[in-house]
Amino acid sequence: MRLKQISGWVVLGSVVMLSACSSVVTEGSSAAAGVAGTALASKLTNNAAVATGIGLGVQAATRAGVQYQQRKVHGEAQDAIAGTAGSLAVGAVANWQVVHSLPIEDNERGRVTVSRVIASQGMSCKEIVFSVDGLVDKASKPTSEFYMATICQAGPAWKWASAEPATERWGALQ
């Protein structure tokens, strides 16, 4: 019994230390939850079916929590990019940066430009091209990956209007 508790804490500690890798967080927390669920179930029952149900329930709840936090982190990056691009004219370039409130992914930075404005009947949107800039192997060789998205004005703020935020509405179906 004590061995299960110790192994659960070791797995959890490893997950926290390696938290910059998204897949490690997802799978590691799921494994830690499975160990913790097993330890909890063994204290509550000797019935294997009930213990399995408890373990799977704890594991599913943990996975859902991690996925929720990942959506929040992605939303922070999208808000940073949209906020920077909102004030830009077509062709202007600006730098964006995000420092995540929960460090489950690396902080990011890059550049953003507006390629066109889409406006009609009270709707104001912009098509943007943005980069996510990084360093190859932490050396001095910069690398950039480029993406396209659409942002729209929602009151005083600019918000991401591409498919990714739809996961808040449709969950895992997106």
Side-chain angles (χ1 to χ4, degrees):
M1 173 61 88
R2 183 79 176 142
L3 181 60
K4 289 180 187 177
Q5 290 174 337
I6 292 171
S7 63
W9 285 110
V10 168
V11 171
L12 184 60
S14 299
V15 168
V16 170
M17 289 174 59
L18 298 172
S19 64
C21 182
S22 178
S23 62
V24 171
V25 171
T26 303
E27 296 306 317
S29 62
S30 182
V35 171
T38 301
L40 173 67
S42 66
K43 286 187 174 191
L44 297 176
T45 184
N46 287 333
N47 185 323
V50 172
T52 300
I54 291 171
L56 291 174
V58 169
Q59 191 173 26
T62 301
R63 184 174 297 233
V66 168
Q67 289 172 344
Y68 170 76
Q69 291 301 325
Q70 287 174 327
R71 284 192 304 273
K72 281 182 57 176
V73 165
H74 296 163
E76 289 173 355
Q78 292 167 351
D79 287 345
I81 295 166
T84 302
S87 61
L88 294 179
V90 173
V93 178
N95 293 322
W96 67 271
Q97 180 176 354
V98 64
V99 176
H100 295 298
S101 60
L102 186 64
I104 61 171
E105 291 189 9
D106 289 336
N107 295 328
E108 297 173 308
R109 62 178 162 53
R111 293 158 288 153
V112 62
T113 186
V114 176
S115 58
R116 70 179 173 137
V117 173
I118 308 163
S120 176
Q121 300 176 353
M123 289 182 61
S124 181
C125 298
K126 296 179 179 184
E127 183 177 77
I128 61 171
V129 177
F130 66 97
S131 71
V132 177
D133 299 339
L135 296 176
V136 177
D137 298 324
K138 306 290 184 197
S140 59
K141 299 179 193 173
T143 180
S144 296
E145 295 180 16
F146 293 90
Y147 305 93
M148 291 181 68
T150 303
I151 61 171
C152 292
Q153 193 166 17
W158 286 85
K159 293 303 237 173
W160 206 260
S162 297
E164 288 138 323
T167 55
E168 290 180 16
R169 184 177 315 153
W170 294 309
L173 297 177
Q174 181 63 14

